[in-house]
C-alpha cells in the first residue's frame, strides 16, 4: 500500500469515526424554561431546540463558542445548531430572558 | 443598619410585625403562616383551583444575592449613600434617587423621566422595587444584572452624565468614602466594580412589605374585600393578566408587545420643517430582525401601583382604570402583538373588581431615611 492510499484509508476511517460519534441532543422549551439548565456536548454535535410551549420563543447566543439567533420560534418550531468550536456559551430566549441553557462544548 | 429598609441576607428570613418587616434569623414564617391547603372560597366551583392560583403568589422567604456579590450590611449601607449622593452625577446635582424616589414607589411620578439638564428622557422611570428577583433590567432588558445596570444611568450622557473614567478619582477625594469602601471591600477599595456592587446590594434591599393580598394568600379571608377576591379570579382567568404578571412580584420578567400605539410621529422643528420622530420599538432595538420582539417592553411588577403612576413604558396611561381599559380593548394590532393580548369583554363591574384586587397589592412600607453623606 503506498502512502497516498494509506492516507485516504485513514482519512475515510477518521471521517467515519467522526460521523458516528457526532450526537444529536434535543432540548425543549417548556413552561418558559429549557428542559435542561446546562449540557455538555462535543464538537460536531447538533443541538436541536423544540418549542413545546404555546407561546412564541426565540433562541440566541451573542457571545462565546457559538453565536446564533433563531428569530421567531412559534409553538412547535424546531431550531438546530451544530457546534463546531470548543468552549462555552449560553443559549437564551430574547423574549423570556430568564430562560438560559449553559452549554459546554468539549 | 437599615432600620427603615428591608435589608436581608440570604440566610435571613423576613417576618412581619404589625404590618412591617423586621429581620430575624428564625426562618420560614411565610411558608408556615401562608400555607394554602385549607383555603376555600365561594368564588369558584373548584376551591382547589383557587388554592393553586393563590399558591403561585406566595412571597419568597429570603432575598437572593449573587455568589460574586454577596450581601453585607456595610456594602448595602455604602450603596445607599451612593444612591443618594449627587456627586455620582456629572454636574453633582442628580442622584439615583432623583428619579427613583421612595415616596413615589421608587419612580419619579412623571410620564417620562428627566435627566441631565432636565432633558426629557424617552421612557418612564421604572421602579427599583423588588429588583432582587428580577432579570433582565430596564424596559428593554438591556442589562442582565443589577451590577451591570447600576452604572448605566450614571454614565449615560442624557441621564446623570458622569464621566466614569473620572468617577473613581472623584470619590477617592472624599475621605469618608475611602474608609467606607475599604470596610465594605477590603483590599480593593474604590473602583467602578465596587461602586456598582454596592449600589446593586442596596437595591436588592428595596422590597415591598407585606400587603393585604399577602395576608389573604396566607389564609386571612378578611384581609381583602369580596370585590378584590373576584378581581383576583378575573386576573387569573378572563382578564389573562397572570399570563405575564405572574409570581409574587407579578412579573414574568419577560418582554411583550402589549399593543400600545406606536408613538412615531412628525413634529415641527424650530425652522418650521417637519421632522420624523421614530417610534420606540423597545427590545426590538437589539433584535431588529426578529419581528416578535418589536415594540416589546419588560413586564413590570404590580406591587404598590398607585404610588407609581403614570403607567406603561411611556407613561401614557394615567390611572389604573386607563390601564384596565387598554387591556380590555386587546391593544393595537400588529405582528409583534403578544398572543395574550385579546379583547377581554370585561364589564364595568369586572374592571372595578380587578382594580380592587390591584389595590390589595399596596403595602404600608416604612419610611426611608436619607443617609448622611460622607465628606
Amino acid at each position: 500500500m503506498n502512502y497516498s492510499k494509506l492516507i485516504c484509508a485513514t482519512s475515510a476511517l477518521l471521517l467515519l469515526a467522526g460521523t458516528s460519534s457526532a450526537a444529536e441532543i434535543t432540548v425543549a422549551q417548556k413552561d418558559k424554561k429549557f428542559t435542561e439548565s446546562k449540557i455538555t456536548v462535543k464538537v460536531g454535535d447538533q443541538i436541536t431546540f423544540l418549542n413545546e410551549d404555546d407561546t412564541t420563543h426565540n433562541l440566541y447566543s451573542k457571545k462565546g463558542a457559538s453565536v446564533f439567533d433563531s428569530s421567531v420560534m412559534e409553538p412547535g418550531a424546531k431550531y438546530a445548531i451544530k457546534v463546531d468550536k470548543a468552549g462555552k456559551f449560553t443559549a437564551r430566549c430574547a423574549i423570556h430572558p430568564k430562560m438560559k441553557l449553559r452549554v459546554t462544548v468539549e | 443598619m437599615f432600620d427603615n429598609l428591608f435589608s436581608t441576607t440570604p440566610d435571613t428570613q423576613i417576618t412581619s410585625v404589625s404590618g412591617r418587616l423586621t429581620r430575624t434569623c428564625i426562618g420560614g414564617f411565610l411558608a408556615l403562616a401562608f400555607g394554602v391547603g385549607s383555603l376555600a372560597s365561594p368564588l369558584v366551583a373548584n376551591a382547589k383551583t383557587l388554592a393553586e392560583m393563590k399558591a403561585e403568589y406566595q412571597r419568597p422567604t429570603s432575598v437572593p444575592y449573587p455568589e460574586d456579590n454577596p450581601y453585607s450590611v456595610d456594602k448595602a449601607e455604602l450603596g445607599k449613600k451612593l444612591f443618594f449622593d449627587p456627586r455620582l452625577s456629572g454636574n453633582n446635582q442628580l442622584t439615583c434617587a432623583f428619579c427613583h424616589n421612595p415616596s413615589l414607589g421608587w419612580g419619579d411620578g412623571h410620564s417620562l423621566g428627566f435627566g441631565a439638564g432636565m432633558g426629557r428622557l424617552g421612557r418612564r422611570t421604572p421602579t427599583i422595587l423588588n429588583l432582587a428577583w428580577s432579570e433582565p433590567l430596564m424596559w428593554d432588558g438591556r442589562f442582565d444584572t443589577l451590577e451591570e445596570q447600576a452604572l448605566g444611568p450614571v454614565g449615560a450622557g442624557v441621564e446623570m452624565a458622569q464621566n466614569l473614567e473620572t468617577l473613581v478619582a472623584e470619590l477617592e477625594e472624599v475621605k469618608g468614602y475611602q474608609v467606607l469602601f475599604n470596610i465594605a471591600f477590603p483590599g480593593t477599595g474604590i473602583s467602578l466594580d465596587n461602586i456598582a456592587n454596592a449600589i446593586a446590594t442596596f437595591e436588592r434591599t428595596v422590597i415591598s412589605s407585606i400587603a393585604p393580598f399577602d395576608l389573604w394568600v396566607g389564609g386571612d379571608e378578611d384581609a381583602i374585600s369580596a370585590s378584590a377576591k373576584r378581581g383576583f379570579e378575573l386576573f387569573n382567568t378572563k382578564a389573562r393578566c397572570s399570563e405575564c404578571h405572574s409570581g409574587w412580584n407579578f412579573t414574568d420578567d419577560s418582554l411583550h408587545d402589549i399593543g400600545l400605539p406606536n408613538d412615531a410621529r412628525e413634529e415641527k422643528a424650530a425652522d418650521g420643517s417637519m421632522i420624523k420622530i421614530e417610534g420606540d420599538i423597545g427590545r426590538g432595538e437589539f433584535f431588529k430582525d426578529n419581528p416578535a420582539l418589536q415594540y416589546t417592553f419588560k413586564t413590570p411588577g404590580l406591587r404598590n401601583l398607585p404610588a407609581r403612576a403614570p403607567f406603561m413604558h411611556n407613561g401614557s396611561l394615567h390611572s389604573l382604570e386607563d390601564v384596565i381599559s387598554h387591556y380590555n380593548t386587546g391593544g393595537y394590532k400588529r405582528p409583534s402583538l403578544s398572543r395574550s393580548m385579546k379583547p377581554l369583554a370585561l364589564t364595568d363591574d369586572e374592571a372595578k373588581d380587578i382594580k380592587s384586587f390591584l389595590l390589595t397589592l399596596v403595602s404600608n412600607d416604612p419610611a426611608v431615611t436619607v443617609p448622611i453623606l460622607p465628606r
Side-chain angles (χ1 to χ4, degrees), chain B residues 305-316:
Chain B
L305 277 178
R308 292 163 47 192
F311 304 109
M312 322 314 252
H313 72 275
N314 55 8
S316 59

Side-chain angles (χ1 to χ4, degrees), chain A residues 32 54-58 60 62-63 69-72 74-75 92-98 100, chain B residues 133-136 141 144 243-244 246 252-256 283 286-287 289-293 339:
Chain A
K32 296 182 182 176
D54 57 4
T55 189
T56 304
H57 281 302
N58 158 265
Y60 79 95
K62 288 196 170 180
K63 57 188 178 185
D69 188 337
S70 71
S71 192
V72 180
E74 298 290 357
R92 303 180 71 172
C93 172
I95 301 167
H96 310 99
K98 280 195 166 177
K100 293 178 198 167
Chain B
W133 290 265
S134 196
E135 67 161 311
D144 283 342
E243 291 183 24
C244 299
S246 54
D252 61 357
D253 287 314
S254 298
L255 295 104
H256 306 280
R283 193 159 176 79
F286 303 99
F287 295 88
D289 296 330
N290 188 332
L293 282 165
R339 289 169 182 273

Side-chain angles (χ1 to χ4, degrees), chain B residues 150-345:
Chain B
L151 292 178
V154 175
V158 295
E159 297 189 49
M160 293 170 72
Q162 174 63 265
N163 182 347
L164 294 180
E165 292 179 4
T166 63
L167 178 58
V168 171
E170 286 182 45
L171 294 186
E172 281 176 340
E173 291 176 6
V174 182
K175 274 192 176 178
Y177 270 133
Q178 289 180 17
V179 173
L180 292 172
F181 271 90
N182 285 329
I183 292 171
F185 301 98
T188 54
I190 301 176
S191 70
L192 284 180
D193 283 348
N194 287 345
I195 294 169
N197 286 341
I199 293 173
T201 301
F202 164 67
E203 289 179 319
R204 288 191 177 93
T205 69
V206 179
I207 301 167
S208 59
S209 188
I210 291 173
F213 170 76
D214 301 310
L215 299 175
W216 181 59
V217 167
D220 180 355
E221 283 300 315
D222 297 327
I224 68 174
S225 68
S227 170
K229 292 175 187 175
R230 290 193 299 271
F232 173 72
E233 187 187 351
L234 288 162
F235 185 91
N236 284 278
T237 54
K238 182 179 178 181
R240 311 172 72 100
C241 314
S242 63
E243 291 183 24
C244 299
H245 292 285
S246 54
W248 83 277
N249 193 33
F250 295 86
T251 173
D252 61 357
D253 287 314
S254 298
L255 295 104
H256 306 280
D257 174 8
I258 56 164
L260 288 168
N262 183 0
D263 53 359
R265 62 199 181 278
E266 286 196 335
E267 288 185 358
K268 191 176 277 188
D271 63 3
S273 65
M274 297 302 289
I275 54 173
K276 187 177 179 184
I277 308 293
E278 298 294 339
D280 189 347
I281 58 174
R283 193 159 176 79
E285 284 291 339
F286 303 99
F287 295 88
K288 290 195 171 175
D289 296 330
N290 188 332
L293 282 165
Q294 307 309 300
Y295 308 105
T296 59
F297 297 88
K298 192 186 154 192
T299 309
L302 301 182
R303 297 269 174 178
N304 293 352
L305 277 178
R308 292 163 47 192
F311 304 109
M312 322 314 252
H313 72 275
N314 55 8
S316 59
L317 302 181
H318 294 270
S319 68
L320 291 176
E321 286 86 352
D322 291 343
V323 173
I324 295 167
S325 177
H326 166 74
Y327 285 112
N328 207 11
T329 68
Y332 182 77
K333 306 286 183 298
R334 57 190 165 219
S336 53
L337 183 67
S338 166
R339 289 169 182 273
S340 297
M341 291 295 297
K342 300 180 192 306
L344 301 173

Side-chain angles (χ1 to χ4, degrees), chain B residues 16 41 59 64 89 91 140 156-157 188 206 216 218 260 278 320 350 366 371:
Chain B
S16 170
S41 168
R59 292 176 68 98
S89 65
N91 62 7
D140 53 25
T188 54
V206 179
W216 181 59
L260 288 168
E278 298 294 339
L320 291 176
E350 287 173 331

Side-chain angles (χ1 to χ4, degrees), chain A:
Chain A
M1 182 180 287
N2 62 31
Y3 278 115
S4 60
K5 283 183 179 173
L6 180 62
I7 290 169
C8 283
T10 305
S11 300
L13 282 172
L14 286 172
L15 193 62
L16 197 61
T19 304
S20 61
S21 66
E24 180 177 342
I25 300 99
T26 299
V27 177
Q29 296 152 308
K30 181 76 175 165
D31 299 328
K32 296 182 182 176
K33 293 174 185 168
F34 289 110
T35 47
E36 311 284 341
S37 61
K38 56 185 175 183
I39 58 174
T40 299
V41 299
K42 294 189 182 329
V43 171
D45 287 353
Q46 177 176 298
I47 309 172
T48 300
F49 295 90
L50 173 61
N51 182 0
E52 292 186 357
D53 270 332
D54 57 4
T55 189
T56 304
H57 281 302
N58 158 265
L59 196 73
Y60 79 95
S61 165
K62 288 196 170 180
K63 57 188 178 185
S66 189
V67 173
F68 52 87
D69 188 337
S70 71
S71 192
V72 180
M73 286 183 70
E74 298 290 357
K78 281 184 182 178
Y79 183 76
I81 59 168
K82 190 165 184 177
V83 288
D84 53 11
K85 195 165 81 175
K88 294 183 178 182
F89 66 93
T90 300
R92 303 180 71 172
C93 172
I95 301 167
H96 310 99
K98 280 195 166 177
M99 292 177 64
K100 293 178 198 167
L101 173 69
R102 291 181 173 84
V103 181
T104 301
V105 187
E106 295 177 334

